[in-house]
Amino acid sequence: MSPASWSSVSPDAERGRSLAVIYATVALDAAGIGSVFPILPRLIQEVAHSPDVG
């Protein structure tokens, strides 16, 4: 039995699943960045002990 016959999923379905994982990763990354940016200036002020930031 060859390795190509092990998978019963078509190459198009595998490609679609791969794209779904990539899109989900990008969406989660964008959500994380979007939630961090609003608090970043205040966080840097606290860490740097300087009011010059932001």
Side-chain angles (χ1 to χ4, degrees), residues 17-34:
R17 195 175 339 167
S18 297
L19 285 175
V21 169
I22 290 170
Y23 287 143
T25 303
V26 169
L28 286 172
D29 192 31
I33 290 172

Side-chain angles (χ1 to χ4, degrees), residues 20-49:
V21 169
I22 290 170
Y23 287 143
T25 303
V26 169
L28 286 172
D29 192 31
I33 290 172
S35 63
V36 167
F37 272 175
I39 64 167
L40 196 58
R42 193 170 350 130
L43 181 63
I44 293 174
Q45 283 177 349
E46 285 185 25
V47 171
H49 302 291

